[in-house]
Amino acid sequence: MISRVRVWLNRTYAENVFFMDQLRRNPCDRAVKIHATHGDADSPVLAAADTAELEPEGLSPAAYVEYALDQCTRRGIDVFVPRLHQSAIVAHRADFAAAGTALLAPPPEAVAVFHDKVIAYEAVQAIGVPVPPWYRVRTAEELVVAVEKLEADGYKACFKPASGAGGVGFRVITRAPFSLDHLNGFPSPYVPLDTVVEALTQADEPVDWLVMPRLEQPEVSVDCLTGTDNRIRLAVGRTKNGRRRGFTLHEQWLEPARMIAEGFGLHYLSNIQFRMFGDTPVLMDVNTRPAGGLHQLSLCGVNAPWAAVQLALGEDPGEMTPPFLGQDYTVVSGPRQLRPVAIPHQRAEVSEPLPVPAPEPAAAEAVAVDSVSAAGQVLPL
């Protein structure tokens, strides 16, 4: 009898409820038990798991590794998919292996290269993958110089943190002064240069930003599955142009993605993003983890999460080609259950105290819902 596979996802994105769904619906019909941990009790990932715990706050990376090893030992975890503190965790791969746990993550050398976007751009440029012009800035003076150089070449400047993920901190520089236009409608990524300079001047410490031209659409995210032999098993591009999404196997996107995934040993699941700089596709970012939108490959008849777990277990799925490319689609948010919580005890304003409420039922009986962000459910266009 084939035993069930125990998979753990630590503090991860809400969209990975779909990653978990695909593991359970694997084509091998293998039983999967999913453990999840998170710092937010209202994360839908916790409710979607078979077992779940809240993570302790304030742990150093080293302390978190000890916490993770304890989780793997106590829970009998076969495959651990780390997002939080990935760098520290992969440095202890041997310790997790000794506990019987395979890490679904690249080796520490690969994670280190792509933790810093400047190091990443220099590294991929050295192997022949095009990158956009970029400037690393830490002060207001350096920012102004970089913006002026880009504008002199006819580009609109933008900036983002040199390390980070998920588009956090991305802004587009504008010369228009701050006005009511910036307060009308929805929040915009556009910020006046003078406002940014003033903020930097008043800051107590320097920033670490990458300044570059704003790149054009389409944006293409290539999801890659790579074995520990550095050989690609699967590469599919997901295109994004405004609301419209689709898929591509065009080599102008897949060839540079393969060069990066195989050349730097991005084992298991990675996501390599490109945009257009003029007529040339250039690298935008590299994620050494499964993308939040990875589940969308199911529209092409592919279950990438399960294939990655197979690889981690030493069960090579072989080279995978999508049997078809799904039609164009868009993404919408939808409700997911949350774990129940007890009503907090409140001080009564009447003479008699209110009774303390009984604990709520088990997670499977929860009725609260959460709206998973727009990388969630897909609808055809």
Side-chain angles (χ1 to χ4, degrees):
M1 179 178 178
I2 299 177
S3 63
R4 71 173 58 191
V5 180
R6 293 172 174 84
V7 181
W8 173 27
L9 282 74
N10 74 341
R11 196 174 309 198
T12 190
Y13 303 111
E15 289 83 3
N16 274 333
V17 295
F18 304 111
F19 186 101
M20 298 158 73
D21 291 343
Q22 286 193 284
L23 290 183
R24 293 190 176 101
R25 296 195 302 264
N26 66 81
C28 299
D29 201 25
R30 184 93 172 262
V32 177
K33 184 175 182 178
I34 299 175
H35 180 56
T37 58
H38 207 286
D40 179 5
D42 289 336
S43 169
V45 171
L46 296 181
D50 297 292
T51 59
E53 291 183 23
L54 280 176
E55 292 187 358
E57 295 293 341
L59 293 183
S60 68
Y64 192 90
V65 170
E66 293 301 317
Y67 162 78
L69 283 166
D70 177 69
Q71 287 281 314
C72 290
T73 302
R74 288 194 298 108
R75 296 286 183 175
I77 301 299
D78 298 304
V79 179
F80 177 20
V81 187
R83 189 201 67 82
L84 182 67
H85 294 310
Q86 187 190 64
S87 297
I89 289 166
V90 297
H92 291 267
R93 188 180 299 271
D95 295 329
F96 285 94
T101 302
L103 296 181
L104 202 154
E109 299 81 10
V111 174
V113 168
F114 296 103
H115 178 72
D116 185 302
K117 292 180 173 60
V118 170
I119 295 174
Y121 276 18
E122 292 174 341
V124 301
Q125 196 170 23
I127 66 170
V129 175
V131 301
W134 53 268
Y135 302 90
R136 190 172 203 159
V137 306
R138 294 185 172 89
T139 66
E141 293 77 12
E142 291 175 348
L143 174 70
V144 171
V145 170
V147 170
E148 289 179 345
K149 287 181 178 179
L150 289 172
E151 289 179 342
D153 290 331
Y155 305 121
K156 184 179 291 293
C158 63
F159 65 86
K160 58 185 177 181
S163 62
V168 175
F170 172 80
R171 298 292 186 274
V172 181
I173 293 290
T174 175
R175 293 284 185 165
F178 188 82
S179 68
L180 193 59
D181 290 339
H182 291 89
L183 302 178
N184 289 330
F186 293 103
S188 166
Y190 287 86
V191 290
L193 178 60
D194 292 344
T195 302
V196 181
V197 168
E198 182 180 0
L200 288 177
T201 303
Q202 296 179 357
D204 296 329
E205 56 186 30
V207 297
D208 189 7
W209 289 345
L210 211 60
V211 179
M212 62 178 63
R214 186 179 188 188
L215 303 175
E216 301 301 322
Q217 293 184 326
E219 178 179 321
V220 178
S221 294
V222 182
D223 293 308
C224 295
L225 176 64
T226 309
T228 54
D229 57 0
N230 295 344
R231 183 170 59 84
I232 286 277
R233 303 301 196 272
L234 172 71
V236 182
R238 289 183 287 113
T239 65
K240 178 180 177 181
N241 199 336
R243 175 173 287 183
R244 181 171 291 272
R245 311 290 178 91
F247 303 100
T248 181
L249 295 177
H250 198 292
E251 284 299 317
Q252 72 171 342
W253 312 107
L254 267 55
E255 181 183 6
R258 288 194 198 97
M259 291 172 64
I260 293 171
E262 295 182 339
F264 293 97
L266 293 179
H267 301 165
Y268 305 111
L269 290 169
S270 60
N271 178 257
I272 304 171
Q273 302 171 357
F274 301 90
R275 274 199 176 219
M276 299 299 295
F277 180 61
D279 297 327
T280 304
V282 295
L283 179 69
M284 186 170 67
D285 207 355
V286 175
N287 294 309
T288 59
R289 53 167 176 77
L294 178 68
H295 65 280
Q296 294 164 15
L297 294 189
S298 63
L299 296 177
C300 301
V302 173
N303 188 327
W306 177 247
V309 167
Q310 284 185 291
L311 267 181
L313 294 172
E315 305 167 5
D316 196 334
E319 189 167 335
M320 302 170 62
T321 301
F324 54 86
L325 291 184
Q327 69 183 85
D328 285 359
Y329 63 101
T330 189
V331 292
V332 296
S333 60
R336 297 287 296 206
Q337 287 186 327
L338 296 182
R339 291 171 64 84
V341 294
I343 301 172
H345 180 66
Q346 300 179 24
R347 194 173 79 178
E349 297 298 333
V350 294
S351 56
E352 294 185 4
L354 293 175
V356 177
E360 295 286 342
E365 300 175 283
V367 295
V369 297
D370 181 37
S371 209
V372 175
S373 71
Q377 300 173 341
V378 295
L379 291 177
L381 289 173

